[in-house]
Amino acid sequence: MKLTKKLTAMAMAVLMAASLMACGGKEASEPAAADTETQEPAADTSAAEDTEDTAADETEDAATDAAEDAADQVSDEVAAGGNIGVCIYKFDDAFMTTYRNALQEILEGKGYTVTVMDGKNDQAEQNNQINNFIAQEVDALIINPVMTSAADQIIATVKDADIPTVLINREPTAEQMAAYDKLVYVGCDARQSGTMQGELILDTPNKGDINGDGKISYIMIQGDPENIDAQYRTEYSVKALTDAGMEVEELDLQRGDWDRNKGQEIAQNDLAKFGEEIEVIFCNNDDMAIGALQAIQAAGRTVNEDIYLVGVDALDAALNEVVNGNMTGTVLNDANGQAAGAVEAMEALLGGKTYAEGEQSIYVDYVKVTPDNAADFQ
Ligand code: GAL
């Protein structure tokens, strides 16, 4: 691996030098070419240009040859040592789509050969994918487990195969990870996102108590309850309210499995059932919040006037609704930051780093998003 890195660095240097030289040559000749377009009569400068071009071409050719040689050598090395297997719990998830695209772009940009698999929300299917990657002798794995409860089994499998592994998005416990020292978790602390959702409500003019009855009446649309993100966001969003001394009333809590349609259905039923009583709709993620917004609008309610609505993720669609005032706020779940962190951790593992118990979780911060800063994330 070290050799690969060194060769990659060498090839990058040669390629950069070549492209700089090539750019240098072009930059010198292109303005002249552009000039000739506006100053037609200067046609007979072409002889001088030809000489210049020939000299530049030769330098360019030599540099390109050297770069190609180095790149050939490196691509052999990368193909031999840079195969990465990525397992995503399911492709049909709005946030994880942004995340996996970022991951793939970063890895490919660094010259790795990447294969990304769709677990289709089926742990057995994902187990097969992990076993196939192991049989193919990938150099490292990045895994977004389907079920948090499968962590022990996944960790035992990658440990047995001695494959450096980065877990993402569903955090196992520190004790579970301690079983294998070539294992790291990169993600966010979901408690933080829950707390921020609560703060978004506390920051409203009436602190969420729209009808002034002294309590905040809410419905909670939860993600997949097996997922720690769903558990913590549910708990900590409400905890932020009670910690601030507010009284709360939970009118309903239902699982929406991170899904827009389910978010819409739950909100629609609850709006029909509880009507004006609902002051706040907490959604564990934005996709469900977008669904809830459709139900809110269909029920003739107006966000930020007679109801509040918050999500998590800062999906593009949600950022637009925050800017338009149709969502009270959201929380940035930094897909790019987490993807970059996962690749960094993977490279540290590939470089031979091992991790002790208690140091195996690497966190990326959430950011509260309101109409004031939403544009920064669009
Ligand atoms: C959460 C995210 C959800 C969903 C979930 C999948 O962090 O907020 O939208 O993608 O991960 O595990």
Side-chain angles (χ1 to χ4, degrees):
M1 280 328 295
K2 284 215 175 105
L3 178 65
T4 309
K5 271 197 175 163
K6 220 178 194 169
L7 281 169
T8 309
M10 274 168 56
M12 288 300 287
V14 179
L15 277 168
M16 275 171 69
S19 67
L20 279 176
M21 278 172 157
C23 286
K26 284 234 169 69
E27 262 168 30
S29 58
E30 266 175 8
D35 283 354
T36 51
E37 266 180 16
T38 45
Q39 299 163 21
E40 284 283 354
D44 57 14
T45 53
S46 60
E49 263 180 15
D50 281 352
T51 332
E52 246 181 58
D53 278 359
T54 318
D57 282 351
E58 270 168 17
T59 324
E60 220 175 281
D61 286 350
T64 313
D65 286 349
E68 275 169 5
D69 285 351
D72 281 350
Q73 207 176 350
V74 167
S75 70
D76 288 348
E77 283 296 320
V78 167
N83 286 323
I84 311 302
V86 179
C87 294
I88 300 297
Y89 94 101
K90 66 169 183 172
F91 279 7
D92 183 19
D93 174 296
F95 171 72
M96 285 314 301
T97 298
T98 311
Y99 194 146
R100 82 181 137 91
N101 290 339
L103 205 48
Q104 187 155 10
E105 200 180 314
I106 297 172
L107 285 167
E108 287 178 350
K110 283 173 162 269
Y112 292 100
T113 304
V114 189
T115 311
V116 188
M117 298 303 294
D118 179 1
K120 298 182 185 147
N121 208 20
D122 178 346
Q123 190 59 58
E125 169 110 21
Q126 186 175 71
N127 293 344
N128 286 337
Q129 293 167 353
I130 294 172
N131 287 330
N132 285 340
F133 276 139
I134 291 172
Q136 290 159 22
E137 300 183 349
V138 291
D139 295 282
L141 282 164
I142 298 180
I143 303 174
N144 162 212
V146 174
M147 315 264 298
T148 314
S149 57
D152 282 329
Q153 196 208 328
I154 293 172
I155 294 169
T157 305
V158 295
K159 182 184 177 183
D160 200 41
D162 194 30
I163 305 223
T165 300
V166 181
L167 298 178
I168 56 168
N169 181 256
R170 292 194 182 178
E171 187 176 8
T173 64
E175 295 72 39
Q176 287 176 311
M177 286 193 282
Y180 184 36
D181 63 2
K182 291 184 197 166
L183 180 91
V184 175
Y185 171 78
V186 176
C188 300
D189 179 353
R191 284 170 285 213
Q192 193 186 29
S193 54
T195 303
M196 287 178 176
Q197 286 191 297
E199 287 170 2
L200 285 165
I201 299 304
L202 292 170
D203 289 344
T204 62
N206 41 29
K207 297 187 176 181
D209 183 14
I210 295 174
N211 58 22
D213 66 353
K215 61 177 194 273
I216 303 170
S217 304
Y218 67 89
I219 66 165
M220 179 70 66
I221 305 184
Q222 201 176 26
D224 168 3
E226 203 258 359
N227 186 316
I228 193 78
D229 285 3
Q231 294 164 16
Y232 277 153
R233 287 176 194 163
T234 298
E235 181 184 349
Y236 281 76
S237 51
V238 176
K239 186 172 182 300
L241 305 181
T242 51
D243 282 355
M246 303 296 293
E247 202 183 311
V248 295
E249 177 189 27
E250 182 179 277
L251 296 169
D252 193 19
L253 180 155
Q254 282 198 52
R255 66 182 289 172
D257 294 310
W258 311 116
D259 181 80
R260 181 176 300 199
N261 292 334
K262 289 189 186 169
Q264 189 273 336
E265 272 168 38
I266 295 167
Q268 178 178 302
N269 291 340
D270 280 348
L271 284 161
K273 189 167 170 193
F274 301 106
E276 297 288 317
E277 271 184 85
I278 304 177
E279 295 169 303
V280 175
I281 299 187
F282 282 112
C283 297
N284 280 176
N285 79 343
D286 279 347
D287 218 24
M288 296 189 296
I290 300 288
L293 175 61
Q294 288 163 2
I296 289 170
Q297 290 174 331
R301 303 281 293 270
T302 309
V303 171
N304 290 341
E305 282 180 27
D306 57 35
I307 194 161
Y308 294 118
L309 173 67
V310 289
V312 177
D313 284 339
L315 296 181
D316 285 342
L319 290 171
N320 289 339
E321 299 301 358
V322 172
V323 169
N324 296 337
N326 294 323
M327 273 178 68
T328 309
T330 184
V331 178
L332 172 73
N333 193 1
D334 186 355
N336 294 325
Q338 290 173 76
V343 174
E344 199 181 317
M346 180 200 81
E347 290 191 317
L349 289 167
L350 285 173
K353 185 166 175 175
T354 53
Y355 289 81
E357 179 170 1
E359 289 169 7
Q360 287 171 286
S361 283
I362 298 168
Y363 293 121
V364 173
D365 272 333
Y366 285 105
V367 183
K368 220 191 297 181
V369 182
T370 66
D372 291 340
N373 65 350
D376 298 349
F377 307 103
Q378 276 175 316

